[in-house]
Amino acid sequence: MKIISSIEELRDQLSGQLRTAFVPTMGNLHEGHLSLMRLARKHGDPVVASIFVNRLQFGPNEDFEKYPRTFQDDVAKLEKEGVYVLFAPTERDLYPEPQEFRVRPPDDLGNTLEGEFRPGFFAGVTTVVLKLFSCVQPRVAVFGKKDYQQLMIIRNMSRQFALPTEIIAAETYRADDGLALSSRNMYLSPAERAEAPALYKNLNFIADEMRKGRRDIAELEHAAMAQLRQQGWNPDYISVRKRSDLQAPSGADLAKDEPLLVLAAAKLGQTRLIDNLEI
C-alpha cells in the first residue's frame, strides 16, 4: 500500500485509473470502516482510502483536538484489506491557504437534525468531500448509512454538481448487541458501553410500532425520548422522517406508505452517539 500526502503525487499515482473506488475516513478505523473497504472493492479497482481529521466540520466546543488518531494501527488494517493507496494529507496539504470557498447544503436538509445541533457541520463535510473527490477523482465512493443525513447530502451534492462519482451506501455495521460501531464508542466507560445499545432498542420500538400501524408519531418520539432520559441519557432528537428528503411525513405521506426512517442523537455521559433505522 502506498501512503501519499501530497495532492500532486496522488494524482500522478492514480493517473489513467478509470475505476477508482474511494472511501474517505477520519481514521481510528474499526470493523465498520473496513467493511466499507470491502464493499468498495466490489464496485471498483483500485481501492483508495483517505485519513484526514477535518477541522472544518468541528464546532468550537467539539472534540477536534481530542479526536482519536491511531495512524499506525490504521495503516496495518488497511494493508490487510488490500487498499492500494492511502491518501493521508496534512492540513497544509489539503488546505494550503484558508478554505474561504465552502459548499453549503440547502437549509431544509443541512440545518435539520444534526445540522440543528451542530451548526456548520455539513458545510464542513461537503467542502472537504468535494475537495477529496477533486483530488482522487473516483468513479465510486462509499459512505455508511449510520451517517444517513451525511450520506443523503453528499449524494445530492454529487448529483447537483454532475460529479462523475457514484455514491454507494453501506449498511450500518453493528456489534452483536446492536450498537452501531463508531470511533466515539471508545469514549464510553464500561457501564456506558453496556447501556449504549438502548439507543438502537428505542429506534426498533418506534419502527415496530409503526409497522403495526401506529401513526401517532409525536407520541412515539416523545415516549422514546422519555425512556432514554429515565436511563440517564440526554437526547438531542429522536425523529421519524421521510427517506426521500428527511422532512417530517404528512398524513398523506403516511397514508400512501411513504418510505420512512427514524433517526436519533443522544449523549450518554460525555459521549454523543447517533443512529438510525429504516422503517
Side-chain angles (χ1 to χ4, degrees), residues 97-118:
E97 57 185 283
Q99 188 66 38
E100 296 168 340
F101 286 86
R102 305 288 179 98
V103 181
R104 196 185 81 178
D107 290 345
D108 61 348
L109 185 57
N111 290 345
T112 188
L113 300 168
E114 284 300 281
E116 178 182 349
F117 289 90
R118 302 182 68 187

Side-chain angles (χ1 to χ4, degrees), residues 221-274:
E221 294 169 345
H222 178 78
M225 296 262 283
Q227 180 64 38
L228 284 178
R229 290 191 184 98
Q230 285 183 356
Q231 294 174 230
W233 294 70
N234 181 20
D236 284 339
Y237 60 83
I238 297 180
S239 187
V240 174
R241 299 295 178 100
K242 294 187 292 181
R243 293 187 212 174
S244 61
D245 58 10
L246 292 189
Q247 300 304 300
S250 65
D253 292 325
L254 297 176
K256 66 180 183 181
D257 292 326
E258 174 82 18
L260 305 173
L261 77 159
V262 55
L263 307 99
K267 270 191 173 182
L268 183 58
Q270 297 300 310
T271 305
R272 188 175 185 271
L273 302 178
I274 67 170

Side-chain angles (χ1 to χ4, degrees), residues 162-178:
L163 302 180
T165 302
E166 179 186 359
I167 306 302
I168 305 294
E171 296 297 327
T172 300
Y173 201 98
R174 299 184 181 279
D176 291 342
D177 58 7

